Amino acid sequence: MTSIPTRAAELPPSAPERSAVSVPGTPVRRAVSALSFRNIGAVYVWLVIAVLFSVWAPETFPTTTTVKQILNGNAVAGLVALSVVPPLAARVFDLSVAYTMSLTSVLTAYFLVSTGLGPAAAIALAMTAALLVGVVNGIVVVVLRVDSFIATLATGALIQSLITMVTNDSSITGLPLLAEPFASIAQLDAGGITLPVLYLLLAAVTIWFLLEHTATGRRLYATGFNADAARLQGVRTDRLRFLTLVSSALLSGFAGIVFASSVGSGSPTAGTPYLLSAYAAAFVGATQLRAGRFNAWGTVLAVLLLGTGVTGLGLATSAPWAASLFTGSVLIVALVLTGGRIVLPAVLRRRRGNPSDAGPEAPAEGTAPPAPSKEK
């Protein structure tokens, strides 16, 4: 960069402006890259969806009430989705998050209604159970070297059996779940925005800061991309994977408590609908903002995108199957457009005999985010 003033005297008057735009790393170049479809494609898809539903249901969709409904209705889903981001960053699956969410929901309701404990004690015991789930997952996956996909699925089955034993597959209801202060955990609001939205923002900020601005986050990504190389560099990969499983259980367990507070009951199937949507949001989010890396804000963006579509279909009085069709379609389109759309032009240029046009980094930009390995 120090050579630019010297060259400016030798170039025509308009050349410095062209040079400033073309030099990599300039503010204009960075702004264009940040706003590119490859980087924030889900934002543009989200805007298109909002416009379509505004035209389809002009009397109900484009209102502040709908915005609040989308935020409030997807806060718990966002918490569950964020809970799987740290394990995925370290290439670990945690399929027990849905069962852990159901467990804490049921245990909190059980302790409040059946034992007469106060909210603080009930929540503490439920979160202790979530912590134990995380520790068990860590021992089975990290210490015993069982495949994380199978291990956490088996753990989830054990949790479900415990839930059935406690509830007999029936929801636990009672006045303590509807009374203060437990009800205010999820139902207290400010201007129509409930507390779970604040919990979602705090969790996203915490995970974002951990992954992007700490040495632990860099080690997590290193573990996920190449565990053997990270281990040779002195990274304690096993400890990191253990801790991600514990954090995942704690966050999903907290989501279960928030869910119980919001609906006023402990449901044995509270977390079941959130499992696939959580992983879908995490993988779509990995194509946004930090392409190829599982990240917090991309996951939140994906959750809101899907929530906007589902809410819009409900307001437009569409068929019951439309929500599932929309979710699957958006996931496929978002992953194709943001994860694979750069590969095709590069391939075509090579076939025309101009491989240099693609640039040395073109294949990397078009590569979809790496899926977590099942290998330990």
Side-chain angles (χ1 to χ4, degrees):
M1 299 301 292
T2 56
S3 62
I4 290 178
T6 304
R7 295 179 180 176
E10 303 172 0
L11 295 173
S14 61
E17 297 180 3
R18 294 197 304 267
S19 178
V21 174
S22 62
V23 173
T26 62
V28 174
R29 185 73 174 256
R30 289 196 297 268
V32 171
S33 177
L35 297 176
S36 66
F37 190 89
R38 184 182 68 250
N39 191 47
I40 55 171
V43 173
Y44 300 120
V45 175
W46 189 13
L47 293 176
V48 170
I49 290 172
V51 171
L52 288 177
F53 283 115
S54 297
V55 174
W56 189 359
E59 296 181 356
T60 56
F61 185 82
T63 63
T64 56
T65 302
T66 301
V67 174
K68 295 174 183 178
Q69 180 180 347
I70 293 171
L71 292 175
N72 296 333
N74 291 280
V76 173
L79 288 173
V80 180
L82 286 175
S83 72
V84 304
V85 170
L88 287 175
R91 288 205 180 192
V92 176
F93 276 108
D94 186 359
L95 298 183
S96 67
V97 290
Y99 303 98
T100 305
M101 176 181 170
S102 299
L103 177 65
T104 54
S105 170
V106 164
L107 288 181
T108 303
Y110 175 80
F111 289 133
L112 283 174
V113 175
S114 301
T115 66
L117 292 176
I123 292 173
L125 289 173
M127 290 302 295
T128 300
L131 175 63
L132 290 176
V133 170
V135 171
V136 170
N137 282 337
I139 292 174
V140 175
V141 172
V142 177
V143 178
L144 301 181
R145 302 292 179 182
V146 179
D147 178 271
S148 65
F149 194 96
I150 302 300
T152 56
L153 192 61
T155 304
L158 294 176
I159 295 172
Q160 189 60 49
S161 66
L162 176 61
I163 293 173
T164 302
M165 183 177 63
V166 173
T167 66
N168 198 25
D169 283 334
S170 300
S171 296
I172 299 176
T173 59
L175 290 178
L177 295 170
L178 304 174
E180 300 292 340
F182 183 76
S184 63
I185 293 175
Q187 299 179 23
L188 188 65
D189 70 278
I193 304 298
T194 57
L195 278 180
V197 178
L198 177 61
Y199 306 149
L200 175 63
L201 291 176
L202 290 176
V205 169
T206 301
I207 295 175
W208 164 77
F209 183 81
L210 172 69
L211 294 179
E212 304 293 340
H213 296 282
T214 67
T216 300
R218 291 190 291 272
R219 291 168 185 149
L220 272 176
Y221 281 133
T223 300
F225 283 120
N226 193 326
D228 292 333
R231 191 180 301 110
L232 291 174
Q233 292 295 323
V235 177
R236 298 182 178 179
T237 56
D238 287 345
R239 184 175 68 174
L240 288 176
R241 285 174 169 168
F242 191 102
L243 291 176
T244 60
L245 289 169
V246 172
S247 67
S248 176
L250 289 174
L251 186 52
S252 59
F254 177 70
I257 294 172
V258 174
F259 180 85
S261 175
S262 64
V263 302
S265 68
S267 172
T269 59
T272 304
Y274 294 100
L275 181 60
L276 290 179
S277 62
Y279 275 92
F283 273 91
V284 172
T287 68
Q288 303 298 303
L289 305 177
R290 300 282 289 170
R293 295 188 179 188
F294 295 97
N295 63 91
W297 294 119
T299 301
V300 172
L301 176 60
V303 168
L304 294 178
L305 186 154
L306 296 173
T308 299
V310 173
T311 301
L313 289 171
L315 295 175
T317 62
S318 60
W321 46 262
S324 298
L325 177 64
F326 167 81
T327 301
S329 301
V330 168
L331 290 177
I332 293 174
V333 172
L335 287 171
V336 169
L337 291 181
T338 58
R341 65 183 291 271
I342 309 300
V343 174
L344 183 58
V347 171
L348 292 177
R349 283 195 295 268
R350 291 192 189 98
R351 289 180 179 177
R352 288 198 301 264
N354 297 320
S356 60
D357 292 343
E361 296 182 0
E365 292 177 345
T367 303
S373 172
K374 296 181 183 180
E375 298 297 330
K376 294 278 97 55

